[in-house]
Amino acid sequence: MPKKEAPPPRPWTDDLESDLQRIITVGEECISEKELKTLILAKGRGTEKYADDDNDGGGGVDLTPRIRLYDGFEPSGRMHIAQGLLKSVNVNKCTSPGTHSTFCFWVADWFALMNDKMGGDLDKIIIVGKYLIEVWKAAGMDLSNVEFRWASEEITQNAHVYWPIMLDVARRFNVTRIKKCCQIMGRLEGSLTAAQVLYPLMQCSDVFFLKADICQLGVDQRKVNMLAREYCDAAKRRYKPVILSHHMLYGLKEGQEKMSKSDPDSAIFMEDTREDVERKIQKAYCPTQEKQQQQTTTAANDDAGKESMQLKTDNLKNPILDYVQHIVLSPPGATFTCATAAAPDGHTYNDYNAVKDDFLKGDITPEQLKKGLIDELNQLLQPVRDHFANDETAKGLLEQVREFKKQSATTPPPASEEENDVPKVFRLDLVEKGVIPASSHLVLAPLPNSNPTLQSAADIITKLKAADDNNTPKVLMLLDWTARVNSALDADTKLISAYYSVLLASLRALDTHLHGEEKSIMKDVTVVTQSDAILKDPSNYWISVINAGRHFSLDMVMGQGIGLGEGMKDSEGVGKVIGRLMMIADVLAVNPKSIALDAAAGDDDVTNGVETMKLEGEDSVAAPKAQSVESHLIQQFYSTKLSHPALSSILPVPQITHVTTGPKLALQPPRESAAHKTESDEYFLADDPKVNGKSKMKKAFCEPGNVDFCPPIALLAYFGGLDGGKEEGVTISRSPENGGNVTYTTKSAVQKDFESGALHPGDLKGAISAIMVEVLTKMSGEIKGDGAAAKGVKALKAFEKKMAKQKKK
């Protein structure tokens, strides 16, 4: 069958060129104009196709995708003139009739909550957002092609879509790259909280969640918008968002690179009175000569607002001229009138460069320029004033916003914690949701890899047994979303699920071998998949992640300066930071009586011996030192963030159990070179065939007389039940000349005979080989009998082969 020919390319018309040029004027920079032109050809004017809903030939619903532009705004208080008037002009340019485009405003109430705006009160933040929308209506924004999407609502309703995007963005970048984006938080890389690395990750995710073709934000957001383009490269996405960065107005005071909402005199605000406008403009900085700029360095802890927000060189930095150019003369066909030396009654300009030239020549004095700007601004702001004076809804919103501002300025700090109301704790409550029992013992499953081992299963059994008594309900959480953000198994959801299916099957088999059916531990364990749990109440879960991030410095979450080693390096993936914050949210969700953790992050050696941290009621000097970054974070969070006395009955401090020694199931001593490591002899896999019980034991390290590291003894003690003092013991068959059969009931007895030479390595290996064949037979049967586990083994093996081939290339 002949290949269908591609349709001829659309011709580039004068109307399309007009759309291109009009949209480009919105930005101080466009990355890239070529991509924007391609986008307009693909989705812009002339691509409309309508469904005739009424079958009368009269058009109907547009079936074709439109150009989607996006900007986000944080409802954090009053709206300055650039956000109000300049944004209105830019939106109208981008959505001019016939352009076939939609401008999407992302109302970032979640980000405002993250930044503790309006005291972290989401209801107040939403009211501020509604006020800002009223301002735009009054400022002349054409809302016929505009949509407002509320982040808190959209993210909650589409949590299964939004958060996986964020996790994928996070796993693709290291800490260094994300720190470079933190200018959008209003500060540079120093003194960051852990939540402040979440901000750019979420903002980057917004672009893809909203399916934005164009990011139309300010120059101050350029770094995170470029992150979105870099993500497309990393994730192999074909189409990158076009970046259209608009100009950032100077503050009205000398040296202010941008306006500040915290300084009322640094900008004109949309609800300012005529008197406010006149006072601010008359006091504003208005230089008449350019200055040669000197190179300056910025300290790590300086406010990022001092950094230049300009992409073009400007040695004058006159905020009055800046307002004339970008506010007054920005709309198509706009004019500016002010008195001049030649026309004291007023001269009308329609070109900014002519205004600037006359000002620098002295034909316009600073006083004349300011007077002209005052008149123009008041004319532009009058419709807004009228709207908020006459429209009851708008008037009510403005009054509330002003009251919020007063409250934040006059509310004194609390006298003491005890006098406060009980602080509200946002968290997912899995007990209330009926997912888990109360007062449980929590074990967090390891992050997946392509080779589930017997060691991993043994570690989990050990941690489950670390509960204070057999009657304590036990919860095993499978960290599938934490695995994704840490790029485990290349963040493949099917492979992650496959790993956990194999792990659970191996746990059941090992549990039965060690304890029998009647005394099985796993039958009473509640297994919870992290993502399923999160989606029970995603809003409260992720707010708890954000709040944990706001509580800790980034350095602390990275494990730096807390006495637990060097900690993470900036070159490591930021996903590890997110995973640690999620761990705190997971603990809050379970609200456990106790938690079992490894003694050190990434330590695979766990044991039946434990060390317990009881945080509640202990003197801080005597309290045991945390043995991992994870336990340190839990300890610090509970002892400070949840220290209010009224919370102790709601969220009691869990015991943190460090599992420090136990079954070490490695078959070979540590090897310095990875080149000498092979899958066949390093360790037992959960899905090893029974023949490997003999073949791997044959190759296992077993130096005569060496009891410090003797894998056969360790395996015999664990799988033969000697660690628990099994009454019947283990019988080792020997020839009469070697002493005949011998039965051991303790590990120490085996070690004594092996060290003295009374027990030969060959006899020892023969005994444990038979046991391992039995164990692997049970493992294999359990996995094969579980459809998901059986498929999981095949999927993991295929992935392992794929990775091996890629390494060879």
Side-chain angles (χ1 to χ4, degrees):
M1 186 175 179
K3 194 173 182 179
K4 188 176 180 180
E5 293 185 9
R10 285 212 306 146
W12 185 253
T13 65
D14 290 343
D15 285 342
L16 294 177
E17 179 66 23
S18 176
D19 290 342
L20 174 65
Q21 296 305 322
R22 185 181 63 256
I23 292 173
I24 281 181
T25 63
V26 166
E28 195 163 85
E29 177 186 56
C30 177
I31 304 175
S32 71
E33 184 174 336
K34 180 181 178 182
E35 292 175 14
L36 178 57
K37 184 174 180 179
T38 301
L39 177 63
I40 291 172
L41 270 173
K43 295 185 177 181
R45 185 186 300 272
T47 61
E48 303 91 332
K49 290 183 181 178
Y50 295 97
D52 185 3
D53 294 338
D54 302 323
N55 296 317
D56 60 359
V61 179
D62 184 3
L63 298 177
T64 55
R66 300 163 65 88
I67 298 172
R68 288 184 61 79
L69 302 101
Y70 133 84
D71 189 2
F73 69 93
E74 184 181 281
S76 55
R78 303 162 68 194
M79 180 185 282
H80 55 63
I81 198 166
Q83 191 179 9
L85 292 180
L86 180 58
K87 189 81 246 180
S88 296
V89 170
N90 287 345
V91 168
N92 291 346
K93 286 181 178 179
C94 292
T95 61
S96 180
T99 307
H100 200 232
S101 60
T102 298
F103 204 108
C104 175
F105 277 105
W106 186 237
V107 189
D109 47 355
W110 261 72
F111 296 139
L113 181 70
M114 185 191 301
N115 290 326
D116 204 25
K117 299 298 171 67
M118 298 295 118
D121 188 324
L122 190 58
D123 291 335
K124 290 181 178 179
I125 291 167
I126 290 172
I127 289 171
V128 174
K130 292 178 178 178
Y131 151 73
L132 298 180
I133 294 172
E134 287 295 322
V135 174
W136 278 318
K137 288 180 183 177
M141 182 183 291
D142 181 357
L143 299 181
S144 58
N145 292 309
V146 173
E147 62 182 40
F148 294 94
R149 306 270 293 275
W150 293 80
S152 59
E153 179 181 313
E154 292 284 340
I155 290 173
T156 300
Q157 293 178 356
N158 300 283
H160 62 293
V161 177
Y162 182 87
W163 292 111
I165 295 174
M166 190 281 287
L167 299 175
D168 196 62
V169 171
R171 80 181 186 91
R172 308 265 182 189
F173 297 100
N174 60 23
V175 175
T176 298
R177 179 63 185 89
I178 301 305
K179 278 186 174 182
K180 293 181 184 299
C181 293
C182 287
Q183 177 179 312
I184 64 174
M185 299 297 299
R187 64 180 66 186
L188 294 177
E189 295 177 17
S191 305
L192 293 173
T193 67
Q196 285 168 318
V197 300
L198 265 169
Y199 198 125
L201 294 172
M202 291 174 69
Q203 187 170 325
C204 182
S205 303
D206 297 341
V207 176
F208 304 101
F209 177 72
L210 297 171
K211 296 181 172 63
D213 299 305
I214 301 174
C215 298
Q216 204 291 280
L217 296 89
V219 169
D220 60 333
Q221 310 295 309
R222 183 180 186 275
K223 290 180 180 179
V224 75
N225 288 334
M226 292 303 295
L227 186 75
R229 289 178 62 87
E230 292 172 30
Y231 170 71
C232 291
D233 289 331
K236 296 181 172 57
R237 295 176 70 110
R238 182 177 178 184
Y239 296 109
K240 300 178 184 179
V242 172
I243 311 302
L244 196 61
S245 304
H246 65 247
H247 175 76
M248 299 294 292
L249 283 181
Y250 292 123
L252 292 175
K253 296 180 179 180
E254 183 176 3
Q256 289 183 326
E257 290 289 342
K258 66 174 184 176
M259 298 173 293
S260 171
K261 291 178 183 177
S262 62
D263 181 358
D265 286 339
S266 72
I268 302 299
F269 289 88
M270 293 301 292
E271 77 275 12
D272 278 351
T273 64
R274 287 180 172 273
E275 292 74 22
D276 290 332
V277 172
E278 182 168 3
R279 175 179 55 81
K280 292 179 182 182
I281 297 300
Q282 291 291 6
K283 289 172 58 178
Y285 177 59
C286 188
T288 58
Q289 294 181 344
E290 294 184 344
K291 293 181 180 180
Q292 191 63 38
Q293 300 299 310
Q294 297 180 347
Q295 293 290 331
T296 59
T297 57
T298 309
N301 59 351
D302 279 353
D303 189 327
K306 296 178 182 177
E307 267 201 329
S308 177
M309 298 290 163
Q310 315 306 321
L311 296 176
K312 298 178 181 178
T313 302
D314 178 10
N315 292 331
L316 187 61
K317 296 190 176 181
N318 185 319
I320 304 302
L321 284 174
D322 206 31
Y323 271 51
V324 171
Q325 179 182 9
H326 294 286
I327 299 296
V328 179
L329 290 174
S330 181
T335 61
F336 171 70
T337 300
C338 74
T340 68
D345 292 332
H347 178 76
T348 299
Y349 296 86
N350 57 18
D351 177 61
Y352 165 71
N353 289 324
V355 178
K356 182 179 179 181
D357 289 344
D358 283 355
F359 177 73
L360 293 178
K361 287 188 300 183
D363 291 346
I364 302 175
T365 66
E367 292 73 20
Q368 290 170 331
L369 185 67
K370 287 183 176 182
K371 178 63 171 64
L373 179 59
I374 290 169
D375 292 341
E376 296 283 1
L377 291 180
N378 278 320
Q379 185 175 340
L380 290 169
L381 290 173
Q382 193 56 44
V384 180
R385 296 179 187 133
D386 293 342
H387 181 67
F388 281 94
N390 301 322
D391 185 284
E392 291 302 320
T393 300
K395 184 192 296 185
L397 289 169
L398 177 56
E399 288 174 356
Q400 290 182 82
V401 171
R402 284 175 171 167
E403 184 60 30
F404 298 158
K405 194 75 174 177
K406 288 179 185 177
Q407 289 172 0
S408 96
T410 59
T411 302
S416 68
E417 191 176 62
E418 287 74 20
E419 296 174 19
N420 288 343
D421 292 333
V422 179
K424 186 174 182 179
V425 179
F426 292 93
R427 69 183 184 96
L428 164 65
D429 189 341
L430 291 177
V431 175
E432 182 183 67
K433 297 289 182 185
V435 176
I436 61 171
S439 300
S440 62
H441 173 70
L442 174 63
V443 173
L444 303 174
L447 298 188
N449 58 64
S450 57
N451 288 313
T453 63
L454 275 182
Q455 180 73 64
S456 295
D459 290 351
I460 293 174
I461 293 290
T462 302
K463 290 177 183 177
L464 289 169
K465 291 169 71 173
D468 56 359
D469 61 63
N470 292 333
N471 295 323
T472 299
K474 300 169 184 65
V475 173
L476 174 62
M477 182 171 283
L478 310 180
L479 304 176
D480 58 334
W481 275 14
T482 299
R484 292 176 72 172
V485 81
N486 280 280
S487 288
L489 294 174
D490 203 26
D492 187 304
T493 56
K494 292 182 179 179
L495 290 174
I496 292 170
S497 178
Y499 170 87
Y500 284 130
S501 294
V502 175
L503 180 66
L504 289 175
S506 62
L507 277 171
R508 292 191 297 269
L510 179 59
D511 181 30
T512 302
H513 174 83
L514 295 174
H515 309 112
E517 290 286 351
E518 291 186 5
K519 296 183 180 180
S520 168
I521 294 175
M522 286 301 297
K523 69 180 181 181
D524 296 322
V525 173
T526 302
V527 179
V528 178
T529 301
Q530 183 188 40
S531 60
D532 291 341
I534 291 171
L535 293 175
K536 297 286 184 183
D537 187 1
S539 180
N540 276 316
Y541 177 85
W542 286 104
I543 290 175
S544 69
V545 173
I546 292 168
N547 283 340
R550 286 166 57 187
H551 178 71
F552 291 111
S553 70
L554 175 60
D555 287 348
M556 181 174 285
V557 177
M558 292 176 67
Q560 297 176 356
I562 59 175
L564 292 169
E566 295 182 1
M568 284 178 61
K569 294 180 172 59
D570 283 5
S571 58
E572 293 184 61
V574 76
K576 192 171 184 178
V577 173
I578 307 305
R580 285 176 173 172
L581 296 180
M582 291 173 67
M583 176 207 65
I584 297 172
D586 293 333
V587 172
L588 287 173
V590 174
N591 191 13
K593 178 181 179 182
S594 57
I595 312 166
L597 297 173
D598 290 331
D603 189 347
D604 289 333
D605 295 331
V606 296
T607 121
N608 290 318
V610 298
E611 179 179 337
T612 300
M613 297 173 61
K614 292 188 68 175
L615 310 180
E616 187 174 18
E618 289 186 330
D619 184 273
S620 59
V621 176
K625 181 180 178 182
Q627 295 187 24
S628 66
V629 176
E630 289 75 11
S631 62
H632 179 81
L633 295 176
I634 296 170
Q635 180 183 23
Q636 289 295 317
F637 192 81
Y638 271 89
S639 62
T640 54
K641 187 71 173 176
L642 305 178
S643 60
H644 194 286
L647 289 175
S648 60
S649 61
I650 305 170
L651 292 166
V653 181
Q655 293 182 1
I656 300 178
T657 299
H658 290 112
V659 184
T660 53
T661 58
K664 296 179 175 64
L665 308 182
L667 298 176
Q668 302 293 338
R671 293 171 176 175
E672 294 183 4
S673 173
H676 296 294
K677 294 182 178 181
T678 63
E679 178 186 311
S680 61
D681 66 355
E682 284 290 317
Y683 40 75
F684 281 112
L685 299 178
D687 64 322
D688 267 341
K690 65 179 183 180
V691 295
N692 283 8
K694 289 184 178 180
S695 62
K696 287 191 175 184
M697 281 312 308
K698 185 177 181 181
K699 298 177 183 178
F701 182 84
C702 190
E703 183 180 46
N706 182 352
V707 294
D708 292 328
F709 181 77
C710 184
I713 292 179
L715 291 164
L716 185 72
Y718 186 68
F719 292 106
L722 302 185
D723 280 338
K726 194 175 180 180
E727 291 184 5
E728 60 270 30
V730 176
T731 299
I732 296 180
S733 300
R734 298 187 300 187
S735 62
E737 56 267 27
N738 286 335
N741 295 350
V742 60
T743 298
Y744 294 99
T745 57
T746 65
K747 180 179 179 180
S748 59
V750 180
Q751 289 175 318
K752 180 180 178 181
D753 280 3
F754 188 77
E755 187 174 24
S756 68
L759 179 60
H760 189 274
D763 295 328
L764 175 62
K765 281 190 173 186
I768 186 58
S769 293
I771 292 175
M772 292 313 301
V773 168
E774 179 186 350
V775 171
L776 294 178
T777 299
K778 291 179 180 178
M779 289 279 187
S780 178
E782 186 67 34
I783 290 173
K784 289 179 180 178
D786 183 319
K791 291 179 181 177
V793 167
K794 293 179 181 179
L796 293 173
K797 293 298 182 187
F799 177 77
E800 182 75 8
K801 290 180 180 178
K802 177 183 174 182
M803 292 297 101
K805 286 181 180 179
Q806 290 183 0
K807 285 182 181 180
K808 292 179 180 179
K809 291 182 179 179

